[in-house]
Amino acid sequence: DAKTTQPTSMDCAEGRAANLPCNHSTISGNEYVYWYRQIHSQGPQYIIHGLKNNETNEMASLIITEDRKSSTLILPHATLRDTAVYYCIVRSNSGYALNFGKGTSLLVTP
Amino acid sequence: DTAVSQTPKYLVTQMGNDKSIKCEQNLGHDTMYWYKQDSKKFLKIMFSYNNKELIINETVPNRFSPKSPDKAHLNLHINSLELGDSAVYFCASSQDLRSGDTQYFGPGTRLTVL
């Protein structure tokens, strides 16, 4: 599976959009980009995933660049409950497990 | 209703003891996983079972033995516990092994070995 690079930490004001970047320059054509988050002391929670096209669900939007070498997770209106560690994971169709890196620690402030 | 549940939530025990952690999912999924999160917060896969069959067995000491009595359960038994086994253990499940499948995690079991 391709390696990902994320900033260690980010801050965001409550109510503003949180844009979390992820670099995956070695991504292969059959690898998906997944985002999970882990709120303190809880199990990881699935947010969104995509292959080539941008995706949106009730939690977030995922923007994948045309060359697929990077992506951005967007939380459109961050709340204090969005404070968590966010993991960008690239997973191939032959990889069954999720390889979690260090993630980005997002702090949403009032 | 809880989708993926684990018991116990906390487990404190002495070195050398044998302990088990139970996991159950009520999502009707075929695949279940065990992950370990150490003190540095790194989350790593340990095992994966699909339809009660072992699929993934990462470099885990053979003191750790998963057991899947049925598709809805994947228990983790640990023999001769060591200090380094202290961690949070997460169970997860997914519909199957197919690419693009999302995983649902349990609340975790915090194991402390004294």
Side-chain angles (χ1 to χ4, degrees):
Chain A
D1 292 340
K3 182 181 175 181
T4 61
T5 304
Q6 299 177 251
T8 302
S9 63
M10 293 182 65
D11 291 349
C12 178
E14 190 178 19
R16 305 297 294 268
N19 298 294
L20 291 92
C22 179
N23 285 326
H24 31 78
S25 58
T26 59
I27 193 170
S28 303
N30 65 348
E31 289 180 321
Y32 289 77
V33 179
Y34 279 80
W35 283 85
Y36 280 74
R37 73 180 182 183
Q38 187 174 23
I39 296 170
H40 181 62
S41 297
Q42 297 182 22
Q45 177 190 24
Y46 166 80
I47 302 173
I48 199 167
H49 76 280
L51 183 62
K52 294 180 182 179
N53 300 321
N54 298 336
E55 302 288 343
T56 296
N57 63 21
E58 64 279 3
M59 289 183 70
S61 294
L62 174 60
I63 308 298
I64 303 175
T65 58
E66 193 169 341
D67 63 8
R68 302 212 320 126
K69 293 185 176 182
S70 66
S71 60
T72 301
L73 177 74
I74 301 172
L75 307 178
H77 305 287
T79 70
L80 299 179
R81 286 174 294 184
D82 291 323
T83 292
V85 178
Y86 287 78
Y87 297 97
C88 170
I89 300 165
V90 173
R91 179 181 176 217
S92 71
N93 57 11
S94 62
Y96 305 131
L98 296 169
N99 293 317
F100 289 85
K102 297 181 182 179
T104 296
S105 179
L106 175 68
L107 176 64
V108 181
T109 56
Chain B
D1 284 343
T2 304
V4 181
S5 59
Q6 297 178 226
T7 53
K9 189 168 176 59
Y10 300 97
L11 184 54
V12 181
T13 188
Q14 299 287 334
M15 278 177 57
N17 285 348
D18 303 338
K19 290 293 179 184
S20 292
I21 306 172
K22 295 185 177 181
C23 178
E24 177 181 2
Q25 54 95 3
N26 62 5
L27 298 166
H29 287 170
D30 287 344
T31 309
M32 296 184 72
Y33 312 79
W34 276 108
Y35 288 83
K36 177 182 180 181
Q37 188 166 41
D38 60 25
S39 57
K40 294 182 180 179
K41 302 297 184 183
F42 290 119
L43 196 58
K44 293 184 179 179
I45 183 70
M46 299 175 68
F47 300 103
S48 170
Y49 268 71
N50 187 59
N51 278 323
K52 302 196 302 175
E53 248 187 77
L54 181 65
I55 301 299
I56 297 174
N57 183 352
E58 290 297 315
T59 312
V60 177
N62 57 15
R63 297 183 294 103
F64 290 78
S65 54
K67 287 183 173 53
S68 182
D70 55 58
K71 280 192 339 179
H73 296 84
L74 181 62
N75 304 322
L76 184 63
H77 189 75
I78 315 170
N79 290 327
S80 303
L81 278 156
E82 301 177 356
L83 293 176
D85 298 332
S86 295
V88 182
Y89 292 84
F90 289 100
C91 178
S93 73
S94 65
Q95 183 64 55
D96 53 37
L97 291 173
R98 189 184 59 212
S99 176
D101 222 0
T102 60
Q103 295 185 17
Y104 296 83
F105 285 77
T109 295
R110 182 175 294 276
L111 171 65
T112 303
V113 182
L114 303 175

